[in-house]
Amino acid sequence: MAYEAVYNVKIRNKCIALTFDVGWGKKVLSPVLDTLSANHVNKATFFLSSTWVKERPQLALKVKARGYEIGSHGQLHENYTEHTNAWIIREVKQAQNTINRVTGIKCRLFRTPNGDMDQRVVRLLGKLGYKTIHWNVDSLDWKNPGIKNIIQRSSTNVKSGDILLFHASDSARQTAKALPSILRRLRRQGFQFVTVSELLSMRIK
């Protein structure tokens, strides 16, 4: 069986998936969630680091309570390509145990820390029961390049089936402020927001 990382999905519908990586801190997530809610976006996918889930269980449960999809972002924020299969398996399983214990969710989607991966890592994650989810629209919000810059990067040349990358860790201080304009622009272009799993289910065979 061939295992491949997902960057975008070939679909007929005019839908895209907003994704948010969460690895540390407690200041940014709630404003991001509140901004999504205020703009009536009830579909998005959050990739949670298990170390963060362990430290901030109430925030992890807040993501679940809002009805957003939860995927795993692993445990330690290290490049998987630099580690052995045994290390990766241990990391992935420990991450899943923590996320499941706190949220009751068994993740089926996995985003590697730093987006670092190769065919070995993707195949290994596939054998562990995960789809590896990358992205093809990168806001670079973690660099705090300016709100206008984030808006521009996230709402220009977006196509149906795209997966957009944002962060809701404390390093991404401008994300919540940029989101309202991004959401308005994308809606004006006719896009609907869905979870990554919903995007995958629309894939043209």
Side-chain angles (χ1 to χ4, degrees):
M1 183 176 178
Y3 297 107
E4 294 180 353
V6 180
Y7 292 80
N8 63 333
V9 184
K10 189 177 180 182
I11 60 172
R12 291 190 178 89
N13 315 54
K14 197 157 188 188
C15 297
I16 54 177
L18 307 176
T19 68
F20 297 84
D21 291 357
V22 188
W24 67 281
K26 62 179 181 178
K27 296 176 182 175
V28 169
L29 179 76
S30 289
V32 164
L33 290 175
D34 291 345
T35 301
L36 291 174
S37 295
N39 287 273
H40 310 291
V41 177
N42 54 12
K43 300 285 184 74
T45 301
F46 285 76
F47 289 94
L48 308 183
S49 156
S50 67
T51 50
W52 178 85
V53 170
K54 193 173 182 179
E55 291 171 1
R56 314 281 182 200
Q58 294 307 315
L59 286 177
L61 288 169
K62 191 172 182 179
V63 176
K64 181 186 177 184
R66 296 283 179 97
Y68 295 113
E69 181 173 49
I70 291 176
S72 176
H73 197 33
Q75 183 169 239
L76 300 178
H77 208 268
E78 296 184 15
N79 291 336
Y80 282 19
T81 57
E82 299 171 6
H83 288 282
T84 64
N85 285 1
W87 185 93
I88 294 169
I89 291 168
R90 188 169 65 248
E91 278 288 297
V92 170
K93 288 185 174 179
Q94 287 177 351
Q96 178 54 61
N97 289 340
T98 299
I99 294 170
N100 183 252
R101 188 168 64 248
V102 172
T103 68
I105 291 169
K106 182 162 175 51
C107 301
R108 290 295 174 204
L109 306 178
F110 200 99
R111 176 169 282 159
T112 53
N114 301 315
D116 175 77
M117 61 187 178
D118 56 18
Q119 193 54 47
R120 173 181 69 96
V121 171
V122 173
R123 186 166 57 246
L124 189 56
L125 289 171
K127 288 180 177 178
L128 291 170
Y130 294 93
K131 286 193 181 301
T132 303
I133 308 300
H134 204 71
W135 59 85
N136 67 329
V137 177
D138 189 350
S139 68
L140 291 180
D141 57 349
W142 62 276
K143 290 186 173 182
N144 299 299
I147 292 168
K148 286 184 178 178
N149 190 295
I150 295 171
I151 293 167
Q152 185 73 15
R153 290 188 61 87
S154 307
S155 59
T156 307
N157 300 321
V158 177
K159 302 177 298 298
S160 297
D162 281 354
I163 297 171
L164 285 67
L165 171 65
F166 299 96
H167 295 78
S169 295
D170 281 9
S171 51
R173 297 185 301 276
Q174 299 168 338
T175 306
K177 292 174 183 173
L179 271 175
S181 293
I182 292 168
L183 300 174
R184 279 196 301 272
R185 284 186 174 205
L186 292 171
R187 278 195 170 123
R188 279 203 299 267
Q189 293 171 46
F191 291 113
Q192 288 185 305
F193 306 115
V194 298
T195 64
V196 170
S197 289
E198 287 172 328
L199 206 62
L200 291 169
S201 72
M202 297 176 190
R203 189 194 297 266
I204 298 171
K205 304 296 184 190

